[in-house]
Amino acid sequence: MDNSLLTAKKVLAVCMETTAGGRNYSGGLGALYGDTTRAMNRMREDYLAVTPLYQNGYVQQSVTEKGVIDEYPHQDLSVDYEDTGLIVSVPLAGIEIKVKVWHNRVLKNHYGLDTSLPGNGIYAEITNNLYGENGIGPYDGEAQRMMQEVILGVGAVKMCNEIGYNFNILHLNEGHGVFAALYMLQEFREKEALSFDEAWRRVREKTVFTTHTPIYAGNKSRPVQMIIDLGANQGLSYDELRAIGASDNDYMFGSTVAALRLSKMANAVAFKHQETSQKLWGGIKGSCPIIYIDNGVDIKYWQAMNIRNAYYRDDFEGLLAAHKDNKRKLIDEIERRNGVKLDENSIIIGFAKRVIEYKRADLIFNDPARFEELVKKYNIQIVYSGKTHPKDYGSKQILKHLFEMSQKYPNNVVFLQNYDTDVAGLMTKGCDVWLGNPRIPLEACSTSGMKAACNGVLNLSTADGWWYKSAKDNVNGWIFGEVESRDNETDARYLYETLEKRVLTAYAKPEVWVAMMNASIYMAEKDCDCERMCADYFEELYNAPFIL
């Protein structure tokens, strides 16, 4: 790694969620941002991370026979953050909203923004829960979510102005932070008496964008008039907002479209994801180039120390022993939580991530008779955990299906309630196999598999996301399916065949299994380290030239 590159720019990175402290995350985006913040903090570079902090965090979900129960318990922000005493003012909805600035107690490069101040009236509830699903006062959930994005973007820039952090790169993680760029555009316009086009160019010279969601419908759009009505336009006119964020003659302002037009460079998060993103956004006039930078995970944070020690001693027996210890810890925690004692000598397959239709968490149950045959013949065991968007009722049915299968096969299918980073840590260390069923090409990356890989937990997945590039079939894990996903019935058949003929065959031979574990860790250390990703950010993204 060329550390000289890491001093080239001062970066402000904004994101709606993070695992850097508290329950301020929903899934992979927050996990990536938390890992990036930790790695950058350790590397001691000029990198400042800002997120909103939510009084009730993200939804906590439990699943019962009656369905999925959503709860929003209050969290004490002072556990992980200290109040700086600084308050910045953000104009919104015709008033000045006061925003409290918090500072992470451990990660000194991370700040949080919070509107829960008494003087804000109903607007104190803007940051009550991540993505503002339930609305506040007269505003619906969509309006609240946009208000959160304004608090993030404008609040972050104003905070930097107050603390004297003179960043020269703004990094937008997804399109949520685009209001930071809009605010900067108007600042350039007013302070330097620039035209709209000149100010726009100045913003592009110092803005970069990471795109994640490879589905057009999953990228947020809202009417231009809605932005103006809520006073979120940062002094820009209707036509100026359309020029930045609308496609063709549309009246909708797309956050991703705007981020692509306001940036000098964008990155997809995996090799295959670049191809998908370029197809998805290639028709956007005035868009910046989209390169790819492979995501990474903070291996120093996620990798078990006993695994790390055995791997670096080149001790295969020690590696197997370390994994068995981690597997027993998972089994013990499952027994404590669920009252079920899994068999440590039988294979444990893990699936823990955001539950959404394209990830197909229940694909292995597609043919009930075939699944039951695998249970009876091989005693396969599957451990699930995950949560879904509170208003994604289709995915809630998937969660309910997982729960029902755990009731039908109590000794072979486990569902761990209230998925969080603690559960993720246990499972990515203690399972034998990590299952990935995404429908190609809809997976951007899926970093949970990287966390498993660095612990010698072998990936079994379709060839999508990060696994498309890093998989060496039958060497560091397995690929099932074809180049493009077909119907669930076909892909499930590939999964059953791969599981029985290749995975379970290897599991029966410890010498084969541990060699694959070693290859998995080698691959993860080479391909999946967040520190490598951070260096790539500086070299390929932050230091990229702006070319019209």
Side-chain angles (χ1 to χ4, degrees):
M1 183 187 302
D2 183 0
N3 286 312
S4 66
L5 291 168
L6 302 182
T7 58
K9 301 290 183 182
K10 291 183 76 170
V11 179
L12 166 64
V14 294
C15 187
M16 282 285 280
E17 54 178 281
T18 186
T19 57
R23 292 185 292 104
N24 300 297
Y25 59 93
S26 70
L29 176 64
L32 174 69
Y33 192 63
D35 277 9
T36 305
T37 304
R38 274 188 289 268
M40 288 288 195
N41 187 68
R42 199 168 50 242
M43 296 160 81
R44 305 171 73 103
E45 301 306 326
D46 286 332
Y47 179 96
L48 205 63
V50 180
T51 44
L53 301 181
Y54 306 93
Q55 298 99 56
N56 302 321
Y58 191 56
V59 65
Q60 286 197 328
Q61 289 179 328
S62 55
V63 190
T64 70
E65 294 86 351
K66 296 180 180 180
V68 180
I69 299 170
D70 295 335
E71 296 178 298
Y72 294 88
H74 181 76
Q75 65 172 339
D76 182 358
L77 298 178
S78 67
V79 172
D80 294 304
Y81 299 89
E82 57 185 349
D83 186 348
T84 64
L86 176 63
I87 293 175
V88 296
S89 180
V90 175
L92 189 59
I95 66 169
E96 293 288 328
I97 294 173
K98 304 301 180 185
V99 182
K100 181 190 292 188
V101 177
W102 297 82
H103 194 192
N104 193 297
R105 293 184 182 277
V106 176
L107 304 174
K108 298 307 179 185
N109 64 347
H110 180 224
Y111 287 83
L113 305 174
D114 162 34
T115 62
S116 62
L117 294 169
N120 282 332
I122 63 167
Y123 301 101
E125 296 296 308
I126 289 176
T127 55
N128 61 4
N129 56 273
L130 175 56
Y131 295 127
E133 307 303 340
N134 301 317
I136 57 168
Y139 303 103
D140 62 13
E142 179 57 36
Q144 184 190 359
R145 174 167 171 165
M146 191 180 79
M147 289 178 177
Q148 289 182 351
E149 295 177 10
V150 175
I151 295 298
L152 167 63
V154 179
V157 176
K158 285 198 158 193
M159 183 204 78
C160 287
N161 291 342
E162 289 291 329
I163 66 175
Y165 184 78
N166 299 314
F167 63 93
N168 45 27
I169 290 291
L170 170 67
H171 186 170
L172 306 176
N173 288 274
E174 281 288 37
H176 311 124
V178 74
F179 288 97
L182 297 182
Y183 178 76
M184 287 163 51
L185 192 157
Q186 191 63 8
E187 267 200 321
F188 280 130
R189 207 174 181 181
E190 292 176 354
K191 292 182 178 179
E192 301 183 23
L194 300 179
S195 69
F196 172 67
D197 288 339
E198 290 169 336
W200 188 348
R201 180 188 175 98
R202 290 289 299 277
V203 170
R204 293 196 73 171
E205 288 171 350
K206 61 189 299 182
T207 304
V208 297
F209 170 50
T210 298
T211 180
H212 295 261
T213 307
I215 309 168
Y216 189 83
N219 289 267
K220 182 60 66 177
S221 292
R222 46 180 64 98
V224 171
Q225 190 61 50
M226 177 184 175
I227 297 173
I228 292 174
D229 289 348
L230 283 172
N233 54 312
Q234 311 309 314
L236 300 175
S237 72
Y238 186 99
D239 288 340
E240 288 168 344
L241 287 173
R242 282 191 66 255
I244 293 170
S247 302
D248 299 324
N249 295 317
D250 198 4
Y251 64 91
M252 301 293 285
F253 182 93
S255 295
T256 300
V257 172
L260 288 166
R261 287 180 177 153
L262 286 163
S263 298
K264 64 175 179 174
M265 186 71 73
N267 78 283
V269 295
F271 175 73
K272 188 170 181 62
H273 182 229
Q274 180 191 29
E275 176 187 346
T276 305
S277 298
Q278 288 175 338
K279 286 180 181 178
L280 187 62
W281 305 111
I284 300 299
K285 295 177 182 177
S287 170
C288 66
I290 303 175
I291 61 171
Y292 83 90
I293 294 176
D294 287 313
N295 272 351
V297 297
D298 187 3
I299 290 179
K300 290 182 173 66
Y301 182 83
W302 290 103
Q303 189 177 53
M305 190 56 67
N306 58 356
I307 291 288
R308 186 173 186 81
N309 291 339
Y311 173 75
Y312 279 103
R313 289 197 308 267
D314 200 22
D315 178 2
F316 277 24
E317 284 188 15
L319 195 58
L320 270 180
H323 175 65
K324 286 181 180 179
D325 284 344
N326 297 334
K327 188 173 182 179
R328 289 188 197 105
K329 289 176 183 175
L330 173 62
I331 289 171
D332 289 346
E333 182 61 16
I334 289 170
E335 184 177 24
R336 186 186 74 80
R337 290 183 180 218
N338 290 37
V340 175
K341 183 77 170 179
L342 297 186
D343 179 3
E344 71 174 80
N345 295 313
S346 296
I347 198 166
I348 295 180
I349 301 167
F351 184 105
K353 56 191 80 179
R354 183 168 58 97
V355 175
I356 190 169
E357 193 279 331
Y358 79 83
K359 291 181 184 282
R360 301 188 292 184
D362 56 353
L363 183 67
I364 199 168
F365 305 132
N366 193 74
D367 183 340
R370 189 78 175 88
F371 174 74
E372 186 155 329
E373 180 185 341
L374 290 170
V375 168
K376 290 179 177 178
K377 190 173 180 180
Y378 301 102
N379 193 38
I380 66 168
Q381 304 165 114
I382 307 177
V383 181
Y384 283 102
S385 193
K387 61 176 63 171
T388 190
H389 190 287
K391 292 187 178 3
D392 185 350
Y393 299 107
S395 295
K396 282 186 172 182
Q397 287 303 308
I398 297 174
L399 276 175
K400 191 168 183 293
H401 188 203
L402 301 180
F403 178 80
E404 289 167 350
M405 295 303 286
S406 75
Q407 301 301 292
K408 184 176 181 179
Y409 298 97
N411 296 309
N412 295 88
V413 180
V414 170
F415 185 82
L416 291 175
Q417 305 273 8
N418 287 320
Y419 177 57
D420 61 13
T421 53
D422 290 337
V423 171
L426 274 170
M427 290 183 61
T428 53
K429 295 178 180 73
C431 292
D432 298 301
V433 171
W434 201 253
L435 184 60
N437 307 313
R439 181 177 287 109
I440 302 170
L442 301 182
E443 187 65 87
C445 181
S446 191
T447 53
S448 67
M450 296 179 172
K451 295 162 192 166
C454 74
N455 283 293
V457 175
L458 302 180
N459 278 267
L460 166 63
S461 179
T462 54
D464 204 8
W466 77 282
W467 193 233
Y468 175 85
K469 180 182 174 186
S470 292
K472 288 184 170 50
D473 200 27
N474 287 323
V475 175
N476 58 17
W478 302 271
I479 296 171
F480 73 89
E482 300 177 13
V483 175
E484 292 287 337
S485 292
R486 295 170 65 184
D487 55 275
N488 284 355
E489 182 179 344
T490 302
D491 285 353
R493 187 169 66 249
Y494 281 122
L495 173 57
Y496 298 137
E497 290 173 358
T498 304
L499 187 56
E500 183 167 29
K501 294 180 180 178
R502 296 197 281 154
V503 179
L504 290 164
T505 299
Y507 186 75
K509 301 174 182 178
E511 71 281 2
V512 173
W513 194 265
V514 73
M516 293 186 71
M517 286 178 61
N518 191 71
S520 173
I521 298 168
Y522 172 80
M523 173 271 297
E525 299 257 337
K526 178 173 66 73
D527 293 352
C528 306
D529 192 344
C530 195
E531 292 190 9
R532 183 271 311 151
M533 181 195 76
C534 290
D536 287 349
Y537 277 170
F538 274 90
E539 182 174 0
E540 300 179 38
L541 201 61
Y542 303 156
N543 282 300
F546 171 51
I547 303 172
L548 279 174

